[in-house]
Amino acid sequence: MSAVSEAVTSSAMRTREATVRRFAFTDMVFRAATRASAILVLVLLGGVAISLVAGSWEALSKFGFSFLTSEAWNPVTENFGALAPIYGTVVTSAIAIIIAVPIGIGIAVFLTELCPRPLRRPIGIAVELLAGIPSIIYGIWGLFVFAPFLQTTIQPFIINIFHGIPGLSSLFAGPPYGIGLLTSSLILAIMVLPFITSITKDVFDTVPAVLKESAYGIGCTTWEVTRRVVIPYTRVGIMGGVMLGLGRALGETMAVTFVIGNAHRISASLFAPGTTISATIANEFTEADGSIYTSSLVALGLILFIITFIILALARYMLLRIDSRTGA
């Protein structure tokens, strides 16, 4: 009996040791795979940055800092400057975010707090479907439907309203082209709206019901619950949605190319044609027949890369400041 018992014990120990070794091996493989994935992301990011720097070095060496401050863009004389595309990219993205963020948050509040339950899912699906529409469809719609509508109705009305008012008359001056900075900003706002709305709605759904019920229980209105409970609880998620929308706006190409006018100049009027970094690269990369021309376009890509990185870093820093201020 003792021999049989020892054999059973020995077999159980060997089985347990084999299981432990198998678990240890699986854990080691998993740890190595996740570490390799993280390193791969850093390698890809570094590779993209190095490629952009190498490709733009000729233009940056020739033009220097004036590449960032010059509005010139003349392929014939090989004189290039990035100021106009930078201006168009920043202005259109900023206006798009200013328009889309409050609307997106408002839709999310409506869907989570005010919307009748039978309508929540259909409206939510309709909003999310906007994110699946290809950007070229937005561009075609903007060029053939939205821009003519703005040209014949909205832009003349705005020009007449603000005529003679200092500052605003310059901001909304000029003939109503239909296309231009404002039109592309509105198209971008429509495109980033579903991203902001969807993410904001999802993070609003994570707010514990007891927090909202407690606020309603002491007499808070829906506005007060949203302002004092929901938004503070989900501010990181909201910022993530805004940053995702901003990243989409900064890098959008086809829709903007259709409606911005593709003019390498800076104008105080939002109705004037302009250009962005992405639109310039898309329009001219296939036609770039000289090394300095190609290098200048790659330099625009490097600038867009840096702008995106800076904006994301500032957003992260702002979140850290908010967390430190609230003691989170």
Side-chain angles (χ1 to χ4, degrees):
M1 291 295 293
S2 62
V4 173
S5 177
E6 291 178 358
V8 172
T9 303
S10 177
S11 175
M13 291 180 62
R14 287 195 299 270
T15 302
R16 185 162 53 249
E17 291 175 357
T19 302
V20 170
R21 285 195 298 269
R22 186 171 66 252
F23 285 164
F25 176 76
T26 303
D27 187 63
M28 181 183 65
V29 171
F30 176 74
R31 188 163 52 247
T34 54
R35 183 186 296 112
S37 300
I39 294 174
L40 179 61
V41 171
L42 296 177
V43 170
L44 290 175
L45 184 63
V48 170
I50 293 173
S51 300
L52 290 174
V53 171
S56 61
W57 187 254
E58 183 178 357
L60 297 178
S61 300
K62 178 178 180 180
F63 301 113
F65 187 74
S66 64
F67 185 75
L68 299 175
T69 59
S70 174
E71 189 180 343
W73 191 270
N74 193 335
V76 177
T77 61
E78 293 190 335
N79 184 23
F80 300 102
L83 186 59
I86 293 174
Y87 172 80
T89 300
V90 173
V91 169
T92 54
S93 300
I95 295 175
I97 291 299
I98 290 172
I99 295 173
V101 168
I103 296 176
I105 294 177
I107 295 174
V109 171
F110 175 75
L111 291 176
T112 55
E113 302 294 334
L114 302 173
C115 183
R117 190 169 296 275
L119 296 179
R120 289 184 181 179
R121 186 171 180 82
I123 296 177
I125 292 175
V127 172
E128 293 176 357
L129 283 177
L130 290 175
I133 299 176
S135 59
I136 193 171
I137 303 300
Y138 281 109
I140 293 174
W141 174 79
L143 180 63
F144 292 106
V145 178
F146 193 54
F149 170 74
L150 292 178
Q151 182 183 20
T152 57
T153 57
I154 303 299
Q155 289 185 353
F157 174 76
I158 295 177
I159 292 173
N160 292 331
I161 287 293
F162 295 113
H163 178 71
I165 300 177
L168 293 178
S169 60
S170 299
L171 193 61
F172 301 102
Y177 294 107
I179 58 175
L181 293 172
L182 183 61
T183 305
S184 60
S185 300
L186 294 174
I187 294 294
L188 285 177
I190 296 173
M191 295 180 68
V192 304
L193 181 62
F195 295 95
I196 298 174
T197 301
S198 179
I199 294 177
T200 304
K201 175 185 175 299
D202 290 340
V203 297
F204 280 0
D205 288 334
T206 64
V207 179
V210 64
L211 295 180
K212 295 189 289 186
E213 291 171 358
S214 300
Y216 283 124
I218 61 175
C220 291
T221 63
T222 302
W223 160 248
E224 291 171 330
V225 171
T226 302
R227 181 186 176 191
R228 301 295 185 181
V229 178
V230 176
I231 292 180
Y233 189 88
T234 59
R235 60 182 179 273
V236 175
I238 295 174
M239 184 61 67
V242 173
M243 289 300 104
L244 179 62
L246 181 58
R248 174 70 187 274
L250 287 170
E252 178 54 41
T253 304
M254 293 308 301
V256 174
T257 303
F258 273 91
V259 299
I260 198 169
N262 302 305
H264 282 274
R265 64 173 181 266
I266 296 177
S267 174
S269 175
L270 296 178
F271 294 157
T275 189
T276 64
I277 293 175
S278 300
T280 300
I281 295 174
N283 277 325
E284 304 186 25
F285 205 87
T286 56
E287 302 174 358
D289 53 0
S291 60
I292 191 66
Y293 194 179
T294 303
S295 181
S296 298
L297 292 173
V298 177
L300 288 179
L302 176 62
I303 293 171
L304 181 60
F305 180 86
I306 294 174
I307 290 175
T308 304
F309 179 82
I310 292 175
I311 289 176
L312 293 178
L314 290 176
R316 185 61 183 172
Y317 174 74
M318 184 171 63
L319 287 176
L320 291 176
R321 289 290 302 273
I322 293 174
D323 289 340
S324 63
R325 192 182 306 121
T326 57

